[in-house]
Amino acid sequence: MSGLPKQGAGAGGDLGNEVEGYLLWQARIAEAERRAREFTGPLDWMTTAQREQIEQHYVADSLQRAKADLERIAARCVSLRAEYEQRYQELRRRCLGVTLAVCAALTTAMAALLLLLL
């Protein structure tokens, strides 16, 4: 049984995510095995041992490709998260700056208005 490498369960991953990941990986294994059987099915000239060996290689290759795809997706998610966090921080700074500028302008206007009234 091939397992998906763990990414650190304590780093924000809870039991539900781990179970979901495990089930998705098991589904990927079952799909790879099914496709391997479909691939070797028409090759009736092979012996049983040859068929099993080709199926094992097919499954291993499929799972290696799936793992590489998942690693690329995970890396992209990390980079997108960092990019969005940076944009969010910039937006917060801008909003704070605008708020402070408006407050300063209103305070100045109120002070000038009070001076005119006195």
Side-chain angles (χ1 to χ4, degrees), residues 7-107:
Q7 293 292 330
D14 60 349
L15 181 61
N17 287 340
E18 288 184 34
V19 169
E20 181 182 14
Y22 173 80
L23 293 174
L24 288 172
W25 189 249
Q26 292 304 313
R28 180 69 66 155
I29 292 171
E31 178 186 354
E33 290 172 345
R34 180 188 56 79
R35 292 183 68 200
R37 284 189 300 275
E38 289 176 359
F39 177 75
T40 59
L43 307 175
D44 54 356
W45 51 268
M46 289 192 304
T47 66
T48 303
Q50 289 172 331
R51 183 181 311 269
E52 288 175 357
Q53 186 178 20
I54 288 176
E55 286 177 5
Q56 287 174 357
H57 285 294
Y58 189 100
V59 169
D61 182 62
S62 294
L63 294 179
Q64 183 180 10
R65 290 172 189 261
K67 180 182 172 185
D69 290 342
L70 289 173
E71 288 172 349
R72 276 194 304 276
I73 291 169
R76 181 65 178 143
C77 287
V78 168
S79 70
L80 281 175
R81 181 181 180 104
E83 183 179 331
Y84 287 141
E85 284 178 354
Q86 178 185 2
R87 287 184 181 182
Y88 177 72
Q89 292 299 325
E90 289 175 14
L91 180 61
R92 284 184 63 187
R93 279 192 291 274
R94 275 211 238 129
C95 287
L96 180 61
V98 168
T99 302
L100 291 175
V102 168
C103 287
L106 287 175
T107 303

